Amino acid sequence: GENVEQHPSTLSVQEGDSAVIKCTYSDSASNYFPWYKQELGKRPQLIIDIRSNVGEKKDQRIAVTLNKTAKHFSLHITETQPEDSAVYFCAASNSGSARQLTFGSGTQLTVLP
Amino acid sequence: DVKVTQSSRYLVKRTGEKVFLECVQDMDHENMFWYRQDPGLGLRLIYFSYDVKMKEKGDIPEGYSVSREKKERFSLILESASTSQTSMYLCASSPQGRGETQYFGPGTRLLVL
């Protein structure tokens, strides 16, 4: 089955700096890659996603890039703010069953004021 | 607005008890999922269902079963709770289709004594 590895597990940045979180996946047939943000005590919520026919996608301060050849994708947050502090999870669709997602282990992002 | 609710936010049970966790979604989604979330391990899929009375095992089904008698409701059952099942349990739902967004419930934090 699919295996998703996520790095780093913790990341601290100064407010205003950029943050990058990287994930690799194993199943070359995976074609959907969402990113979820989970604030403390709250449910995970989708912040951005990308499909395999696209190399990059942006939404304001958030961007995701996908390298299908290398089987890795990354989340980029620019001009970080304290409210960006949360756990971020990447995920990849599982080609074995059309609706499954395999999640990475998560990255605790802390934005220091 | 998609709404996924779970029957309890916190639950304390004793070893050997049968435990029922319920999840309800109000968006007529075909797919429903149960995950457990543990620090450093991300979200691991226990079971999922793509239709009423249909279920498929995820990555960690041992010690769990599920029931989906109605489209909007998906129950997770711990047949005989063990301390190793102390965890946060998250339910999610998504519309039919490959790689569609999953919407999460608020989670149930289960403590097995």
Side-chain angles (χ1 to χ4, degrees):
Chain A
E2 176 71 277
N3 182 48
V4 176
E5 295 192 358
Q6 182 172 346
H7 299 281
S9 56
T10 61
L11 179 61
S12 293
V13 299
Q14 289 295 135
E15 183 176 356
D17 287 350
S18 296
V20 180
I21 302 170
K22 299 181 179 181
C23 290
T24 61
Y25 61 99
S26 60
D27 188 348
S28 57
S30 291
N31 70 351
Y32 175 65
F33 307 92
W35 285 88
Y36 284 82
K37 175 184 180 182
Q38 186 178 28
E39 296 177 29
L40 189 62
K42 296 192 175 180
R43 69 191 76 192
Q45 293 196 302
L46 179 77
I47 55 171
I48 196 167
D49 56 14
I50 192 168
R51 297 185 188 270
S52 58
N53 58 347
V54 175
E56 184 175 359
K57 183 177 179 181
K58 287 184 180 179
D59 183 3
Q60 299 182 13
R61 296 185 298 107
I62 294 173
V64 57
T65 58
L66 172 65
N67 183 327
K68 284 176 57 180
T69 303
K71 290 191 282 187
H72 67 70
F73 56 112
S74 300
L75 177 71
H76 304 253
I77 306 174
T78 59
E79 300 173 17
T80 53
Q81 300 167 5
E83 52 264 38
D84 294 329
S85 295
V87 178
Y88 292 81
F89 293 100
C90 63
S93 64
N94 189 322
S95 63
S97 178
R99 304 156 195 88
Q100 272 183 272
L101 293 177
T102 300
F103 285 83
S105 54
T107 297
Q108 173 68 62
L109 173 65
T110 302
V111 179
L112 304 168
Chain B
D1 201 21
V2 177
K3 197 167 185 180
V4 182
T5 58
Q6 295 183 226
S7 50
S8 305
R9 290 301 304 273
Y10 302 95
L11 212 49
V12 180
K13 295 292 181 181
R14 297 220 173 263
T15 302
E17 280 192 78
K18 192 169 186 176
V19 182
F20 293 87
L21 304 182
E22 291 208 319
C23 176
V24 178
Q25 50 93 6
D26 68 355
M27 285 303 292
D28 202 36
H29 284 171
E30 287 76 15
N31 308 317
M32 296 188 75
F33 308 83
W34 275 107
Y35 295 91
R36 64 176 283 176
Q37 181 177 14
D38 301 287
L41 297 178
L43 282 70
R44 292 181 292 165
L45 183 63
I46 304 171
Y47 268 96
F48 68 101
S49 168
Y50 54 88
D51 201 352
V52 176
K53 296 192 185 295
M54 304 302 290
K55 61 185 179 183
E56 286 196 25
K57 293 180 180 179
D59 298 320
I60 51 166
E62 296 78 18
Y64 304 94
S65 63
V66 291
S67 172
R68 193 165 181 202
E69 296 296 319
K70 293 185 178 181
K71 189 175 185 180
E72 68 271 18
R73 189 180 299 268
F74 192 35
S75 300
L76 179 69
I77 303 154
L78 286 65
E79 297 290 343
S80 177
S82 69
T83 54
S84 64
Q85 293 177 310
T86 291
S87 186
M88 170 68 84
Y89 290 88
L90 287 163
C91 173
S93 72
S94 69
Q96 190 172 32
R98 186 181 176 93
E100 292 296 336
T101 302
Q102 292 188 16
Y103 297 89
F104 284 86
T108 296
R109 186 166 293 282
L110 173 67
L111 173 62
V112 182
L113 300 174

